[in-house]
Amino acid sequence: MPESSSKPKVVLAYSGGLDTSVILKWLCEKGFDVICYIANVGQQEEDFSAIEAKALACGASKFVCSDLRKEFVETSVFESIKANALYEGRYLLGTSIARPVIAKEQVRIAEENGAMYVAHGATGKGNDQVRFEMCAQALNPTIQTIAPWRDAEFIESFKGRTDLLNYCAKHGIPVDAKPKANYSIDENLFHTSYESGMLEDEMCAPDESMFKMTTSPKNAPEEAEKVRIEFKAGVPIKVTNLNTNDSKEDPLELFLYCNSIAGKHGIGRIDIVENRFVGIKSRGVYETPGGTLLHEAHKDLEGVCMDREVKRISEMMSLEFSRLCYNGFWFAPEMDLVRNSIDFAQRDVDGFVDIELYKGNITVMGRKSPKSLYNADLASMDIEGGGEAFDYNPADAQGFIRINSVRLKTYSALRAKTKE
């Protein structure tokens, strides 16, 4: 057996679970020097010390745990909020936006340790294989990816959970004795997602017991709570509880507080069927409490700060941002274009929004901005014209309507002529 230094190095994205533990040992058997890496992106109740001990016991030459929570909030979560990102009009992209920061760190660790390979445990039917590998290729095209769940030999050896467990027994790999949930979970500080297992039946309602971040709206407090969310250039900079005057300004603390207060009031649950990039429809249940709160506040503030046509174009940019993020093109040049355009559009989105939280509902109570384009006199039905500041004559609307209706009249005449 060659010395570890002569073996090809691979950085494995390692969770400590059944699949990646088997992959770790399998890679060792294939002659790789395996460096295990786990990203702390806010997973709940994760014992990183126990995961490190398991990785080293299973053959890893090194274990790296990177705390990416602050970077995740600042470079991914807040970017998504700023873009009003929403995939297919419903999904806040909680899993999608975490993958770039995880992949970026994996590539950094590979470069630091002279590894020419990275590996992951994503399945061959999901989106994550695409996201991890597209990000890695964009960041370092010389690094190769090992994806065991697309490897013919690996698949032949492990046809199901029983084969994985038998392999663990043979090699002395510890297995969690707790019963396995009848669904899979992906979690970070932005959201928790549930899919597969019993949830593959689109008529099977999720169990209340599975939710981690949110209280059921039925069991939420009977008293409403009000918060103020402040933004600068579209980025959340402060949250204040108007009931208690508690406030947070540090980006990570701010977001975690939004999670806590929104989750307490049952905010942010959805159950959807979405379209994966690989062409498969997938049913997912998501809870995104803080993200939902900030998303609604940000959209509302845009209403008073953003020019109508800039808003229209920004909505198209938001759709493109969401599509690119979901499909794994975070580090693509077109994503750079979209993000820079969004930054420009957000430069005047300053101010605050007051929101009431109650039993799963978000109600905007008011908003104010130093860069507001809203003018009460101009909008008022009780003031003729535009007030002292604006020269607006309602009679001008007659010509405006006449000009804008020319093409409608032309189209109508054509339809009448052809009797369609």
Side-chain angles (χ1 to χ4, degrees):
M1 179 69 69
E3 294 297 321
S4 176
S5 60
S6 66
K7 297 178 181 179
K9 292 182 179 180
V10 57
V11 178
L12 170 64
Y14 183 71
S15 69
L18 177 61
D19 286 26
T20 54
S21 294
V22 168
I23 290 171
L24 164 56
K25 179 61 72 173
W26 184 78
L27 288 170
C28 290
E29 289 185 323
K30 291 297 176 184
F32 287 95
D33 176 7
V34 185
I35 300 167
C36 282
Y37 151 64
I38 188 169
N40 178 1
V41 285
Q43 305 93 308
Q44 298 184 57
E45 302 173 1
E46 195 79 275
D47 187 341
F48 294 107
S49 296
I51 294 172
E52 177 180 12
K54 184 174 182 179
L56 297 175
C58 291
S61 64
K62 185 176 181 179
F63 178 85
V64 179
C65 177
S66 301
D67 188 348
L68 305 178
R69 292 175 297 170
K70 192 171 190 295
E71 180 182 353
F72 178 41
V73 168
E74 293 179 340
T75 67
S76 301
V77 172
F78 284 177
E79 286 293 296
S80 177
I81 296 299
K82 187 166 61 176
N84 291 329
L86 207 61
Y87 181 67
E88 296 188 333
R90 303 182 73 187
Y91 173 41
L92 284 165
L93 298 163
T95 298
S96 314
I97 63 169
R99 296 324 187 212
V101 71
I102 295 171
K104 180 183 175 184
E105 178 68 0
Q106 187 178 21
V107 169
R108 186 198 68 78
I109 294 168
E111 293 172 342
E112 182 178 79
N113 288 274
M116 292 306 298
Y117 298 90
V118 293
H120 60 74
T123 74
K125 286 189 174 182
N127 293 310
D128 278 344
Q129 58 177 338
V130 180
R131 294 167 182 154
F132 282 127
E133 295 180 41
M134 296 286 275
C135 288
Q137 287 297 296
L139 294 168
N140 188 332
T142 66
I143 289 179
Q144 300 180 55
T145 299
I146 299 172
W149 283 117
R150 298 201 308 264
D151 182 274
E153 180 185 345
F154 186 89
I155 294 171
E156 180 63 29
S157 300
F158 304 102
K159 296 183 181 299
R161 182 173 171 82
T162 299
D163 289 337
L164 294 170
L165 292 172
N166 289 339
Y167 184 86
C168 289
K170 177 182 177 181
H171 293 278
I173 300 172
V175 176
D176 193 341
K178 294 185 295 185
K180 180 178 171 60
N182 192 19
Y183 45 83
S184 67
I185 302 173
D186 177 79
E187 58 183 321
N188 55 55
L189 58 81
F190 189 62
H191 90 157
T192 303
S193 71
Y194 312 87
E195 62 179 17
S196 303
M198 69 179 196
L199 298 175
E200 290 177 351
D201 178 357
E202 69 270 34
M203 286 298 294
C204 179
D207 288 334
E208 180 59 38
S209 61
M210 77 185 195
F211 292 103
K212 295 185 172 188
M213 301 177 74
T214 56
T215 300
S216 168
K218 296 177 183 178
N219 300 323
E222 295 297 329
E223 295 295 325
E225 208 159 1
K226 294 180 181 178
V227 294
R228 174 170 292 176
I229 311 292
E230 298 181 35
F231 294 87
K232 179 69 176 177
V235 175
I237 59 169
K238 186 177 182 180
V239 58
T240 303
N241 186 318
L242 298 179
N243 292 58
T244 65
N245 288 324
D246 291 337
S247 65
K248 304 291 181 184
E249 296 185 40
D250 174 80
L252 179 56
E253 292 180 3
L254 183 159
F255 189 76
L256 293 177
Y257 186 79
C258 287
N259 265 348
S260 175
I261 194 166
K264 168 184 170 184
H265 290 279
I267 304 296
R269 293 185 183 183
I270 61 169
D271 180 346
I272 64 173
V273 175
E274 69 201 58
N275 290 292
R276 289 178 178 168
F277 189 28
V278 294
I280 300 171
K281 284 191 179 291
S282 171
R283 191 268 187 100
V285 177
Y286 303 102
E287 48 181 344
T288 318
T292 302
L293 171 58
L294 293 177
H295 179 81
E296 293 299 323
H298 179 261
K299 281 199 307 180
D300 186 82
L301 187 60
E302 279 188 341
V304 298
C305 298
M306 189 175 283
D307 172 79
R308 181 188 72 181
E309 292 303 300
V310 173
K311 177 64 175 171
R312 180 180 65 82
I313 295 171
S314 292
E315 287 175 349
M316 292 188 286
M317 291 291 184
S318 177
L319 291 173
E320 191 64 10
F321 178 101
S322 303
R323 186 187 69 84
L324 292 170
C325 177
Y326 188 86
N327 292 344
F329 290 92
W330 187 268
F331 296 110
E334 62 269 33
M335 183 58 126
D336 289 340
L337 170 64
V338 169
R339 291 174 65 182
N340 277 283
S341 298
I342 290 172
D343 284 344
F344 183 87
Q346 293 290 310
R347 58 186 178 163
D348 291 331
V349 183
D350 299 349
F352 66 81
V353 180
D354 289 347
I355 286 177
E356 183 179 77
L357 308 174
Y358 181 68
K359 289 191 176 294
N361 293 299
I362 292 175
T363 304
V364 173
M365 306 301 289
R367 76 288 291 162
K368 193 170 183 62
S369 169
K371 298 181 178 179
S372 175
L373 295 173
Y374 173 76
N375 183 281
D377 287 351
L378 185 59
S380 177
M381 296 298 179
D382 296 324
I383 298 177
E384 185 176 356
E388 295 181 0
F390 291 92
D391 178 19
Y392 182 86
N393 184 351
D396 292 340
Q398 183 172 341
F400 175 81
I401 295 167
R402 184 175 295 154
I403 293 298
N404 275 282
S405 65
V406 168
R407 67 181 184 88
L408 303 181
K409 294 175 181 178
T410 303
Y411 182 76
S412 177
L414 174 63
R415 296 276 68 83
K417 184 178 179 180
T418 58
K419 297 181 180 180
E420 290 185 3

